[in-house]
Every structure is written in structure tokens, then in C-alpha cells.
């Protein structure tokens, strides 16, 4: 942040806080997705300006978002599970159609829905209208409680009568708890609520060590012990696959591999601030969003950041406050850990042994980062994507490497197929998987749409003395147009953004038919959806099935393993690795 300009003045925060760059839950771009939205009070002059309308104001209509889909899936699962539990007594197994919303019913206000309490912003100050007790029956994959005003027994009676209770989404609660909440806003088929207090606590609940937990939207699971967090994430992976396709209901999900550090692990933080006309510069909050709100919570320290990042956060806040009076708009700050030389902190570390490196931090997005995975060094711009938990990366990349080597050894016993000789790294970025998994392959080919990332990947291979890697510029959806290796001897590693792969890419992948596919995902529902797409195309067979020799499908795969990793403790995010192995068909 040179000179006297506003810090990160060029990093204006977008109106849409969504990101496909991975589970960066402390980045401003993903803050609103971590909890329900709660309206906040704006300055009177801002209110008057915003409420000026010409003519009649349009009636508000709820619009279904991805977050709504996630919540509604959890609600449907709760109702179906309850129906199956009580419906047996009535000798009925079919789920009542009333458990789904009518297509034309945008608000979900059908005859079988109870009128929910008035949201706080519409109560006219009457707190009695918007505060009440709820019972938490389930927790969604985003760590949000699914609650009703009925307890378990009342819920069963209601569902047995084929009626539908109104659901409330509450952050920071656990299954089986009774809580006091405040209704905030009606969404598509449910109401968002704030947690006031927990009346009856779950045995799983622990005291969160962070003073900001329960207000900050960055972490969602600090009230759960780490072992229970791992089981929660395993269940989330299982649920994602079961929802994606009935054939995946019995899929074996391995226990989640935990991070060596449950706090102090995060190598990147991006706190932000907003400029408001009614807020003096010395009172501007710098931090992360309040849970469920677009208002920024002032945060002086973040416990999940590494020691270097926490030192950097202190300096970044000081720099921002010193220049705040000159800022005309909000901005996002960047604090990122890097490895520097003990003797020359500002010097080139390309040839410095990893044992001689120490941890430092950068605040300038234009700076370069040096990260170390085992003994392999990676250089990339501070503004680009790279996994943000260095403590688990050796195990994470090591698992992918072992999967490739394990199947190469296994396939080498086959006279018809033979060992794996080639590796294709799709969505390769700076070359993390291609470089760490290069050993044992004749050639590694990586592809990426970013010119900068391709340059970094090739330079990283050269810096580490690796000569069998070649990273090329191109669209991953057309990657196989450039591939000339024999698919029987080729493995493909894919690590797409959170939104997953496209049908076009998956079609090309199956048509090419590599012997092994390792699918790495930060967005597990998207990963499950992609594999379900392959299943529907006839490219996946279950454990007890054999490939159909009459099928026109080029390649058919079996799911060999599903292995989740806890890269982001204290949050709902989970990384997942699925290994697919091509089956041999009797032609």
C-alpha cells in the first residue's frame, strides 16, 4: 500500500459476494453465504433516499437462490425422515406430495403452511411478535440449524397428518437443542432467524474459544468439538452423494482426514471495510461480515490465521486506519503468509533451501508468495488462488500421489492394460498436483485458462528441477483435443472451482476414457452432481454391477474411494477426493 492512497483502493468489493475460487470463507466475496441475511439499520438520510419511488411500489417476491436450495433440501430430508419414521404405523411409504412446493407458489404460502411469526423489521418494534422458542431437528450442510416451533413429538403428529410445519433457519445451534430466536426475514419456503440464547443444550456443544464467534460469519462450527466436526463433515459428504443419485446412497465414505492444526492454520485472510456517510473515519469497522448481515464486524484478531497472518492483520489494520479519512469507498485488505530467507527477507528464495526459510507476510496483492509443500517450493502472485492451509497440504497432495501410484502398481499386473505412464492435470493452477505427483510418470501435462497461472506452473517445475511437466494454456473443456497419450496408460486429476465441471468437459473426459480419474473438490455437492451426471450417462457402475458390454458408452468407471479432508476446521467447508477407476469390459 504505497503512498497515501486508500488501502487496496483498487479492490472494490463486488455487489455479489459469491466466489468460485474455493472455500475462502474469510474472503469478502463469500461472507453472505455463511449465514442467513439480516437487514441492518441504515442512516436516516440513506433510508429516505432509498425509499423514494415513482408510482406504486412492486410487491416483494422471494427469489430462490443456491442457498435456498441447500436449506430446502435439508428441510425436505427432515420431513421425509420424519414421515418414514411415523408413516410405518399407517402402512404408508409414499411421501406426501404436500412436502414439495407448488411450482406457481413463489412464497411457499400454501394451505398446509402455517403463517410464520412477523420478521423483526416488520414488527413495528413489538419484540413479542418476533421472538419465540424453536426446536432444532437437523443441521444443514452449511452448518445452519433447521428448526420448527414443534418439538419432536409434535412434529411427528403434524407430519403424520400430512401437514407441513413452517421451518426456521438458525445459525450456531445443534441438533436436539431448544433455542430462543428472533425472526428476521421470510425466504422461499422458510424464515431466517437470529439466535438469542440456547435453552436446552446438546451434549456436543463446547465453549467456543473465539470472542467473535456467534457474531462473525467466518466460522460456523466452533461450538462443536473437532472430532464431532469431522463426523459432521463426513455426514455432509454422504448426504451430498445420496441426494445426487439413489445409487450413491450406500456409498462408503472414509473418515475425514483431519488438519494437523484446528486453529492457526489459515495462510490467507481478507478483512474488509465499508465507508458510510454517517460513520466517522476513526469508527469504521475493519473485519468480516456480521453473521447474516452485510454489516462489517470490527475484528482485531482472527484465531484461525497463522501467526504470521495474525501479525500481518495488526499491521494491515493500522495502515488502513491511518489512511481511512482519504477513502471514498470500501475495500478488501489482503494478508497472506509467505516464506522468506532468514538472512535476506526481501531477497529471491528460488535457490534457498527450504530449511533456511522462515514465515513472513505480505499485504500487497502485487507481491509474490513462496509456499512450501514438503520440500517442493511454489511461487505465485499474492492475489491468485492457492490452498490456504499449508499444514495439511503434505497429506492432501500425498494422498493424491499415493492413489495414482497405488493404481499404477495394481494395473501393472494386467497384461492388457499395464501401468500408468501419463498424468493430465486439468484446472492445474500453479501446478500444485501436477508437480507434487510427477514422480513415476513419463510425462505430466497441465492445462489452465490463465496465462499467469501457466507461467507460474512452468516456472515452479523448473525451480524444483522437474523436467517431465509441461503446462499449457487452454480451456479445460477442450483439453482432450491436445492430448495424444494412450488413455489406457493415462490418469487425469481434476480440481475444478466450487461450481464443479461442465457437462461438456465430463462428456469429453468419458469419451477420452483415461484409466484413472482423481476428482478433487471444494464444492462437494457440485462434485456429487458431476459424478451423478456420469452415472446417468452410463459411465458409472455400482459395486455389485458389471459393465454392460452392449452399452455404447466409451468408458465405464467404478468409484474406488471417497476421501474427505478437513482443510478448513471450525467452518462447514470440506474438501473431497473421489477416485474413479475404469472397468474392463468383455467385448
Amino acid at each position: 500500500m504505497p503512498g497515501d492512497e486508500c488501502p487496496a483502493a483498487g479492490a472494490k468489493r463486488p455487489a455479489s459476494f459469491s466466489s468460485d475460487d474455493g472455500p475462502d470463507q474469510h474472503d469478502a466475496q463469500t461472507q453472505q453465504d455463511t449465514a442467513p441475511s439480516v437487514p441492518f439499520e441504515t442512516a436516516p438520510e440513506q433510508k429516505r433516499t432509498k425509499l423514494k419511488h415513482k408510482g406504486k411500489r412492486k410487491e416483494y417476491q422471494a427469489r430462490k437462490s443456491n442457498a435456498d436450495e441447500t436449506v430446502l433440501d435439508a428441510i425436505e430430508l427432515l420431513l421425509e425422515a420424519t414421515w418414514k419414521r411415523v408413516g410405518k404405523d399407517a402402512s404408508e411409504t409414499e411421501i406426501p406430495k404436500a412436502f414439495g412446493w407448488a411450482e406457481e407458489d413463489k412464497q411457499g404460502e400454501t394451505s398446509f403452511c402455517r403463517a410464520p411469526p412477523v420478521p423483526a423489521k416488520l414488527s413495528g418494534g413489538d419484540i413479542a411478535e418476533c421472538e419465540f422458542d424453536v426446536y432444532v431437528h437437523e443441521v444443514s450442510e452449511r452448518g445452519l440449524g433447521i428448526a420448527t416451533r414443534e418439538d419432536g413429538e409434535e412434529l411427528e403428529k403434524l407430519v403424520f397428518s400430512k401437514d407441513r410445519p413452517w421451518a426456521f433457519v438458525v445459525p450456531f445451534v445443534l441438533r436436539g437443542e431448544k433455542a430462543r430466536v428472533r425472526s428476521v426475514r421470510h425466504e422461499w419456503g422458510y424464515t431466517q432467524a437470529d439466535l438469542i440464547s440456547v435453552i436446552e443444550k446438546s451434549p456436543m456443544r463446547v465453549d467456543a474459544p473465539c470472542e467473535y464467534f456467534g457474531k462473525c460469519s467466518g466460522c460456523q462450527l466452533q461450538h462443536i468439538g473437532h472430532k464431532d466436526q469431522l463426523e459432521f463433515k463426513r455426514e455432509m459428504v454422504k448426504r451430498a452423494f445420496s441426494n445426487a443419485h439413489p445409487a450413491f446412497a450406500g456409498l462408503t465414505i472414509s473418515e475425514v482426514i483431519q488438519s494437523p492444526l484446528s486453529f492457526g492454520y489459515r495462510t490467507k485472510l481478507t478483512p474488509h471495510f465499508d465507508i458510510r456517510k454517517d460513520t466517522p473515519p476513526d469508527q469504521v469497522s475493519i473485519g468480516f461480515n456480521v453473521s447474516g448481515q452485510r454489516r462489517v464486524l470490527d475484528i482485531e484478531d482472527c484465531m484461525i490465521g497463522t501467526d504470521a497472518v495474525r501479525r500481518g492483520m495488526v499491521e494491515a489494520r493500522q495502515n488502513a486506519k491511518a489512511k481511512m479519512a482519504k477513502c471514498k469507498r470500501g475495500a478488501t485488505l489482503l494478508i497472506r503468509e509467505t516464506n522468506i530467507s532468514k538472512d535476506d527477507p526481501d531477497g529471491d528464495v528460488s535457490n534457498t533451501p527450504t530449511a533456511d526459510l522462515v514465515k513472513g507476510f505480505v499485504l500487497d496483492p502485487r507481491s509474490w508468495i513462496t509456499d512450501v509443500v514438503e520440500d517442493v517450493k511454489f511461487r505465485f502472485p499474492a492475489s491468485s488462488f492457492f490452498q490456504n492451509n499449508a499444514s495439511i497440504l503434505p497429506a492432501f497432495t500425498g494422498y493424491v500421489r499415493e492413489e495414482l501410484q497405488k493404481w499404477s502398481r495394481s494395473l501393472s499386473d494386467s497384461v492388457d492394460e499395464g501401468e500408468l505412464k501419463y498424468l493430465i492435470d486439468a484446472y492445474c493452477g500453479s501446478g500444485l498436483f501436477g508437480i507434487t505427483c510427477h514422480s513415476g510418470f513419463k510425462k505430466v501435462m497441465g492445462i489452465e485458462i490463465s496465462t499467469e497461472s501457466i507461467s507460474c506452473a512452468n516456472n515452479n517445475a523448473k525451480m524444483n528441477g522437474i523436467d517431465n511437466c509441461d503446462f499449457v494454456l487452454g480451456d479445460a473443456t477442450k483439453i482432450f483435443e491436445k492430448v495424444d497419450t494412450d488413455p489406457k496408460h493415462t490418469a487425469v486429476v481434476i480440481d475444478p472451482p466450487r461450481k464443479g465441471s461442465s457437462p461438456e468437459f465430463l462428456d469429453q473426459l468419458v469419451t477420452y476414457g483415461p484409466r484413472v480419474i482423481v476428482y478433487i473438490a471444494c464444492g462437494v455437492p457440485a462434485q456429487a452432481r458431476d459424478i451423478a451426471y456420469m452415472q446417468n450417462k452410463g459411465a458409472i457402475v455400482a459395486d455389485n454391477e458389471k459393465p454392460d458390454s452392449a452399452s455404447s458408452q466409451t468408458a465405464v468407471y467404478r468409484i474406488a474411494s471417497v476421501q474427505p479432508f478437513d482443510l478448513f476446521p471450525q467452518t462447514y467447508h470440506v474438501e473431497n477426493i473421489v477416485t474413479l477407476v475404469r472397468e474392463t469390459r468383455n467385448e
Side-chain angles (χ1 to χ4, degrees), residues 288-310:
F288 308 114
N289 281 10
V290 175
S291 176
Q293 300 185 23
R294 292 179 180 268
R295 180 166 59 88
V296 179
L297 177 68
D298 192 64
I299 293 180
E300 297 181 352
D301 183 30
C302 181
M303 294 182 65
I304 67 172
T306 64
D307 290 342
V309 166
R310 293 169 78 174

Side-chain angles (χ1 to χ4, degrees), residues 349-351 377-379 458-466:
V349 297
S350 299
N351 298 316
K377 284 184 286 188
F378 292 89
R379 294 269 292 164
N458 282 312
N459 288 336
N460 287 333
K462 183 178 179 180
M463 177 174 62
N464 289 283
I466 298 171

Side-chain angles (χ1 to χ4, degrees), residues 39 117-126 129-130 183-186:
V118 179
K121 68 175 183 178
L122 302 178
S123 66
D126 188 354
E129 287 191 63
C130 56
S183 61
V184 172
R185 178 179 176 180
H186 297 331

Side-chain angles (χ1 to χ4, degrees), residues 485-500:
T485 60
D486 185 347
K488 291 182 179 180
H489 301 289
T490 302
V492 174
V493 172
I494 62 174
D495 183 16
R498 188 178 303 175
K499 64 182 180 182

Side-chain angles (χ1 to χ4, degrees), residues 36 62 70 118 137 171 221 245 341 453 457 469 479 489 544-545 566 578:
T70 300
V118 179
H137 305 287
L221 304 180
H245 200 286
S341 171
S453 294
C469 292
I479 181 175
H489 301 289
N544 58 349
E545 295 179 344
D566 186 19
V578 176

